[in-house]
Amino acid sequence: MSQSSQTESEPEDLQVTRWDSMDLMKTVTEDSRARCTQDCTSQLRDALQTLQELDICAVERDDSLHEILQVVSGTILYHLDQIVQVRAFEDGDIARIRVILLSLLNPSSLSLLFEFRAAFHRIAARNTDGPSTSVIVCWADAILAKLGQTIVFASGALYNVSLEEQYQPPSVRAQKDDDMLRAAVQLPDKWSELVHVLTSEYVSPAAYRLTLSLIFGAHVMRPHLCGERADADPSLFDTLKTRIKRFCDKQREGVCFTSADVNGSERIGYAMFVSLYAVSCGDAGQDLACKPQTQNFLLEMIQAVLQPDTVLNPMTIMNPRTDMDTALILLMKWGTTMSWAWKTWEDAKTFNSELIEHFTTSWLYVLDNSTSGISVAHAMKYWDDGLVVALHNEPYAALSMMARLLLCGLSVVNGSPEASLPVQVQDILLKLCWSTRYLFKLVEIDKASTVVLFSMLCKYFVRLPDNETGLAIKDLILDVLSFSQAALRGTLDAVCGPKSEFSLNLERNLERISQGR
């Protein structure tokens, strides 16, 4: 599944003529830096307002207006540079980054940038003497190129991906800037036409990456930063389906893929693609059971991002990814990918659906990846909001996934000595039980299903350790068991036989308590 459009840089023999050259862009950026105070997002808003007020036709006729645009473009580039070059966040940085991204990812701002870009390409073409094979890059291309890089950087940095890991030496950053500039000139003249680049056979790998980043920024990042749920987009969904179909056609022609083949840029691209598919499909994309090729394609992308152990069994499923990088954060933290995956792979019999179980445990684990050392009761305040949103999106599919993982976790608990149950597993079980309690308040569950869940929870109750996390899980279990007395009676009848594992474990626990151990 290796998409060639994500892995290569631009041809070396492509000549790039920088109209309003990059030397000039560096100059105006430095001028803007001199004028900007530490808290200068208002200057960015003023620059965008100036851009909206300028008449594009007048700009094409009047060269004197170009000086205004030098200041505007320099201000925008300065703010983007301030994000991608940051080495450590200080107070107020996250709020500032949010303001910058929301301002530039506004559809009207993006449309305007594309309109000015087309106008300046026309100006440059008129001013070019005779036929030329060079590619002309203007200030708007530079902004779009830098914006694409900023989207990728911020998506990880805003969720605690190490800034040092994302930092690149000046020489590498300069090469990437050059690649993105070459990519920007291949974009269409209108923002509304950008989506078609995703299915084009003629754009470069860098142009595909830049396009994917810009569309992700507008359709996933901006709604997320606003606290809104992204609307389904039938046009984008159709484009993504076309992209999938073309890959499936290539696969039938013998193009092979293994998840070990992908590099960092490809993993980021796959994460963005899956996130865009999830937010754009709406109800139309939920039922993939009759589309096995599409289902397998998306699973392969998720697998390439997660890079799990070769064999997924209960132990490896409950062993989450803890080393978060930008690709994993894109998949787990942005958009509605998690709840969409629960609904899409709700049938546990679906081929390779264990991957979604591992995806879920990793997602649960990193919900509070900044709360190490904080007491359990306090830590819940850090992750329950994000969890509740996902549970509300697809409550029945969420309950099905929690039940699958509780069953999976039971195998791990039964196979581990009480004192050596991994802390990651305990953390995940805490969130599974919290989610189950919440979902019992949210949906109606039939008695038979309730008895099955209660039976698993009773077994956890007598097997978990009595440490802080274990006791917190047991408190949650007692809360869940109180929801249905009828189901609880049926559960106890099922699990409390004289020689049942539950009864034997319960007796051992009571004996230990009576002996003060």
Side-chain angles (χ1 to χ4, degrees), residues 56 65 81 86-87 139 246 365 468 480 501 505 517:
I56 294 179
L65 296 175
D81 276 332
V86 69
R87 298 293 298 274
W139 58 268
R246 287 188 180 176
Y365 185 72
E468 183 185 20
V480 176
E501 183 182 357
N505 284 324
R517 287 185 290 161

Side-chain angles (χ1 to χ4, degrees), residues 460-471:
Y460 275 114
F461 191 86
V462 296
R463 288 288 290 126
L464 288 171
D466 288 335
N467 57 21
E468 183 185 20
T469 304
L471 291 173

Side-chain angles (χ1 to χ4, degrees), residues 77-91:
L77 283 168
Y78 167 76
H79 282 82
L80 293 175
D81 276 332
Q82 288 296 97
I83 296 176
V84 298
Q85 294 179 11
V86 69
R87 298 293 298 274
F89 279 152
E90 299 176 358
D91 291 344

Side-chain angles (χ1 to χ4, degrees), residues 225-494:
L225 292 174
C226 290
E228 302 171 354
R229 185 172 180 177
D231 295 329
D233 188 320
S235 175
L236 175 58
F237 181 53
D238 289 342
T239 301
L240 297 175
K241 286 194 300 182
T242 301
R243 178 84 184 181
I244 293 173
K245 183 179 182 302
R246 287 188 180 176
F247 163 74
C248 292
D249 291 341
K250 289 181 180 180
Q251 207 171 36
R252 282 194 294 270
E253 295 170 3
V255 178
C256 59
F257 164 80
T258 61
S259 60
D261 293 337
V262 300
N263 58 33
S265 295
E266 285 181 305
R267 289 177 62 240
I268 287 172
Y270 294 154
M272 286 184 172
F273 190 99
V274 172
S275 296
L276 284 168
Y277 189 97
V279 301
S280 67
C281 67
D283 294 335
Q286 298 283 10
D287 184 13
L288 291 179
C290 59
K291 302 173 183 176
Q293 287 184 328
T294 299
Q295 195 173 53
N296 289 338
F297 177 87
L298 294 167
L299 270 176
E300 286 179 349
M301 280 191 159
I302 293 171
Q303 183 168 0
V305 176
L306 286 176
Q307 296 183 326
D309 290 337
T310 305
V311 178
L312 285 174
N313 53 44
M315 182 60 75
T316 55
I317 287 171
M318 296 297 289
N319 183 30
R321 284 292 305 264
T322 58
D323 52 334
M324 290 293 105
D325 59 17
T326 300
L328 287 166
I329 289 296
L330 280 163
L331 191 66
M332 294 184 187
K333 293 287 193 177
W334 294 92
T336 58
T337 309
M338 192 72 264
S339 53
W340 163 81
W342 292 339
K343 180 65 176 177
T344 303
W345 286 277
E346 190 171 5
D347 185 355
K349 298 187 295 294
T350 305
F351 173 73
N352 209 19
S353 63
E354 298 89 352
L355 184 66
I356 305 303
E357 295 172 8
H358 180 60
F359 180 16
T360 304
T361 59
S362 297
W363 175 77
L364 287 170
Y365 185 72
V366 301
L367 280 174
D368 62 340
N369 61 356
S370 63
T371 61
S372 177
I374 298 175
S375 68
V376 169
H378 187 54
M380 287 184 184
K381 298 176 183 178
Y382 285 80
W383 48 257
D384 61 358
D385 285 346
L387 185 51
V388 164
V389 170
L391 298 177
H392 267 278
N393 285 343
E394 295 291 348
Y396 285 100
L399 184 62
S400 174
M401 178 55 68
M402 300 306 138
R404 286 160 62 180
L405 290 175
L406 285 170
L407 181 60
C408 187
L410 202 55
S411 298
V412 177
V413 172
N414 288 334
S416 303
E418 188 176 297
S420 62
L421 186 64
V423 292
Q424 296 99 320
V425 174
Q426 295 182 53
D427 179 273
I428 292 166
L429 291 175
L430 176 71
K431 291 162 186 170
L432 288 174
C433 291
W434 191 97
S435 302
T436 302
R437 183 186 66 173
Y438 188 87
L439 289 166
F440 263 84
K441 299 176 183 178
L442 200 62
V443 299
E444 292 185 6
I445 307 171
D446 63 87
K447 182 179 177 181
S449 299
T450 303
V451 169
V452 171
L453 277 168
F454 279 13
S455 298
M456 287 191 288
L457 293 175
C458 285
K459 293 173 184 177
Y460 275 114
F461 191 86
V462 296
R463 288 288 290 126
L464 288 171
D466 288 335
N467 57 21
E468 183 185 20
T469 304
L471 291 173
I473 296 171
K474 292 179 181 182
D475 285 343
L476 290 169
I477 289 173
L478 291 174
D479 282 348
V480 176
L481 295 177
S482 69
F483 278 103
S484 174
Q485 292 185 1
L488 181 58
R489 282 193 294 269
T491 301
L492 294 176
D493 289 341

Side-chain angles (χ1 to χ4, degrees), residues 101-121:
L101 290 173
L102 286 177
S103 299
L104 291 172
L105 294 176
N106 188 306
S108 61
S109 298
L110 289 166
S111 296
L112 196 61
L113 280 173
F114 272 80
E115 290 174 16
F116 272 99
R117 173 175 166 274
F120 273 79
H121 283 182

